[in-house]
Amino acid sequence: VQLQASGGGLVQAGDSLRLSCATSGLTFMYYAMEWFRQAPGKEREFVAGIRSRGTSTSYGDSVKGRFTISRDNAKSTVYLQMYSLKPEDTAVYYCAAAAGDIVSRDSITIRYWGNGTLVTVSS
């Protein structure tokens, strides 16, 4: 199983960025997918989650209204569109497949982790 995150980079405050996570080796349409992030010196934090059919989404309080998670089951890919980025959004962003079709919001229950992609937001 592979989850390959991409799309990170250096942006300025107020900019937008879209992360992608391409998966292989799992039956993507059966899994809820989630994004977490981890800033230096901080614990990994839930960012967003989406159930298998894409009809139900969930967001962390710090990104609600600014980030949008979506998925394309035909491409086995999940996306994170980030708007109005702030310096405090700076972190390594990880995509993850949940243990089933439930957004857990908890890193402990994640079944598969992807690599991280670094997002740096300058002020």
Side-chain angles (χ1 to χ4, degrees):
V1 174
Q2 290 191 328
L3 287 71
Q4 183 70 42
S6 62
L10 173 63
V11 297
Q12 293 186 334
D15 284 351
S16 300
L17 201 61
R18 189 175 86 152
L19 306 183
S20 299
C21 177
T23 73
S24 61
L26 77 164
T27 309
F28 182 78
M29 62 185 295
Y30 290 167
Y31 290 90
M33 297 297 295
E34 306 187 39
W35 287 94
F36 290 81
R37 69 185 182 186
Q38 189 164 19
K42 295 189 176 181
E43 294 187 353
R44 195 164 292 192
E45 173 190 20
F46 171 77
V47 175
I50 186 168
R51 294 190 65 179
S52 63
R53 295 190 177 187
T55 54
S56 177
T57 58
S58 179
Y59 296 93
D61 289 341
S62 60
V63 307
K64 200 172 297 183
R66 298 188 298 120
F67 291 10
T68 301
I69 188 171
S70 61
R71 64 190 293 158
D72 185 336
N73 285 351
K75 295 182 178 180
S76 298
T77 300
V78 62
Y79 305 96
L80 185 68
Q81 178 68 54
M82 305 183 291
Y83 300 99
S84 302
L85 283 161
K86 305 175 181 180
E88 51 264 44
D89 294 319
T90 295
V92 177
Y93 284 71
Y94 298 90
C95 61
D101 188 23
I102 295 176
V103 176
S104 68
R105 305 172 66 101
D106 187 346
S107 61
I108 294 176
T109 58
I110 291 298
R111 183 163 186 182
Y112 302 111
W113 287 101
N115 64 308
T117 186
L118 176 63
V119 173
T120 304
V121 184
S122 64
S123 58

